[in-house]
Amino acid sequence: MAREGILLGYGNPLLDISVNGTEEFLNKYDLKPDNAILAEDKHKSMYSDMAKTFADHVEYIPGGATLNAIKLAQWLLRVPDATSFFGCVKKDEFGDILEKKAKEIGVNVKFQYTDKESTGTCAVIVTGKNRSMCANLAAANLFTEDHLNNSENWSLVEKAQFYYIAGFALTVSPPSILRIAKHSHEKNKTFCMNLSAPFLCQFFKDPMLQTLPYVDVLFGNETEAETFAKENNLETTDRKEIGKKLAGWKKENTSKSRVVVITQGDGNVIVAQDDRVTEYPIIPIAADDIVDTNGAGDAFVGGYLSQLVQGKSIEECVRCGNYSANLVIQRSGCTFPEKPSFQ
């Protein structure tokens, strides 16, 4: 059974600011209708401008890859504070909203605070069926290992049995990731990570490879898996073979074998462990029913983790991952109804 503090996440907390926008607003900030970019200086004033211009229908959603997965797991677990989350924000308006919204879902957020940058935000501007996303990591980029030196925070690390960190945190604080990963290894706990993006496999290869020996469950999609294979000369493009090679990658804790989970959009989910590869079909969905695929991968992970922490089988973990992804892609943003219907 799940209990308080069983799952801890660390990542880049971003407040998603979602509006039904206009072409005129996109043009004002030189944004394309269907694209995802990192903010430049010209976008810095856009976030407060959005909140004012579209004040009557602006939506604030706690986001960022790790927090998306953690909040989905929390929603499914229905145990207050079953999940905890570390990340860096500023004590500003958006930081307050982010903290309040995450706590409403039941996540025990323990933020590190900075004065140097504002709270990280991601603008989501919807025009018709298109979504333009512009992320400003800001404060999220400033997380440091000092946060783990605080005894109250470290007690949450000790309390947890499972850890999840999306690969994006590799660009911010690899020492923090390694410290949590090594603790997990020393105490025979379960450390989960995500490849998260092709650019991480290419340009943050060193911290990724330093962390991989401590990873018990590794997530990734088809593009990320193929990029990892190419960058590390695995000499195959066969995703099942890539899964097997990742499962067999050097591992510090040899008492349990690594599980590698590769999602393939509308294709089967590939799970590799030892020399075995199993495929699980996703829940079919009509194209007309898909509203927004952006949070699908995070939602899958959240569903998977919610069952993993309860000691369920891989098959059940994947089943709940597919349920969560299927639910989220039929909604705008990584959001969910009041109660889950997963059984």
Side-chain angles (χ1 to χ4, degrees):
M1 275 297 292
R3 57 159 174 81
E4 187 181 297
I6 195 162
L7 172 63
L8 171 71
Y10 155 54
N12 298 335
L14 302 175
L15 183 66
D16 287 351
I17 305 170
S18 184
V19 299
N20 284 308
T22 59
E23 197 176 330
E24 184 188 15
F25 191 84
L26 290 176
N27 291 339
K28 181 177 176 181
Y29 290 100
D30 196 21
L31 294 171
K32 294 187 173 72
D34 197 17
N35 201 10
I37 62 165
L38 286 176
E40 297 170 40
D41 283 342
K42 64 185 175 187
H43 301 118
K44 295 289 166 73
S45 63
M46 176 179 67
Y47 301 91
S48 52
D49 188 6
M50 280 173 74
K52 289 191 192 85
T53 307
F54 306 101
D56 52 344
H57 65 258
V58 65
E59 254 195 300
Y60 296 108
I61 304 162
T66 302
L67 186 52
N68 277 342
I70 292 293
K71 73 185 188 186
L72 246 298
Q74 176 63 48
W75 173 70
L76 285 154
L77 287 167
R78 317 301 288 167
V79 174
D81 293 345
T83 60
S84 310
F85 177 81
F86 294 158
C88 187
V89 298
K90 184 179 184 180
K91 282 189 173 174
D92 53 15
E93 185 196 357
F94 289 154
D96 292 344
I97 295 171
L98 180 51
E99 188 160 350
K100 180 170 170 276
K101 295 267 185 187
K103 283 182 173 170
E104 279 170 6
I105 295 163
V107 180
N108 180 21
V109 290
K110 290 289 180 193
F111 287 137
Q112 185 177 38
Y113 297 102
T114 182
D115 288 328
K116 296 191 180 85
E117 288 269 10
S118 55
T119 294
T121 44
C122 183
V124 183
I125 301 156
V126 181
T127 50
K129 280 266 185 188
N130 292 319
R131 269 166 184 69
S132 184
M133 299 175 71
C134 183
N136 179 26
L137 296 180
N141 253 334
L142 301 178
F143 186 90
T144 63
E145 197 185 349
D146 291 346
H147 195 61
L148 305 181
N149 294 333
N150 174 301
S151 58
E152 191 185 336
N153 296 334
W154 188 252
S155 72
L156 290 174
V157 177
E158 292 184 322
K159 194 174 189 179
Q161 279 294 125
F162 297 84
Y163 307 90
Y164 176 64
I165 299 178
F168 294 110
L170 291 167
T171 71
V172 179
S173 184
S176 301
I177 299 171
L178 269 177
R179 186 156 159 194
I180 294 169
K182 285 177 178 176
H183 167 84
S184 177
H185 163 57
E186 285 158 12
K187 303 293 182 183
N188 199 28
K189 297 176 178 183
T190 302
F191 184 80
C192 311
M193 198 160 177
N194 203 317
L195 296 175
S196 291
F199 82 88
L200 295 167
C201 302
Q202 294 167 299
F203 307 116
F204 292 86
K205 196 162 119 176
D206 289 349
M208 185 180 278
L209 296 182
Q210 281 174 347
T211 312
L212 195 51
Y214 299 98
V215 176
D216 300 299
V217 182
L218 181 68
F219 298 96
N221 67 22
E222 70 275 45
T223 320
E224 293 150 11
E226 286 170 7
T227 306
F228 183 95
K230 187 180 172 191
E231 291 296 319
N232 292 283
N233 305 314
L234 299 191
E235 296 176 348
T236 180
T237 53
D238 182 314
R239 292 168 195 163
K240 294 181 206 168
E241 284 304 309
I242 294 169
K244 276 206 273 193
K245 291 197 175 193
L246 277 166
W249 197 275
K250 178 179 180 263
K251 192 168 189 294
E252 289 293 336
N253 185 351
T254 52
S255 67
K256 51 184 170 185
S257 52
R258 181 180 295 119
V259 176
V260 176
V261 185
I262 300 171
T263 56
Q264 305 184 94
D266 59 1
N268 290 346
V269 177
I270 295 169
V271 178
Q273 186 177 25
D274 301 316
D275 278 335
R276 296 188 313 279
V277 175
T278 312
E279 289 190 76
Y280 299 91
I282 61 149
I283 301 166
I285 184 168
D288 286 352
D289 292 334
I290 297 172
V291 174
D292 186 356
T293 58
N294 282 316
D298 299 335
F300 176 89
V301 172
Y304 189 105
L305 292 173
S306 74
Q307 303 308 297
L308 181 68
V309 305
Q310 297 181 77
K312 301 288 176 70
S313 67
I314 289 174
E315 188 174 359
E316 273 301 281
C317 293
V318 172
R319 189 170 77 86
C320 191
N322 283 335
Y323 159 80
S324 303
N326 178 268
L327 176 95
V328 162
I329 62 176
Q330 296 181 67
R331 301 169 66 88
S332 180
C334 194
T335 61
F336 32 80
E338 191 186 340
K339 287 185 178 159
S341 58
F342 180 77
Q343 290 172 333

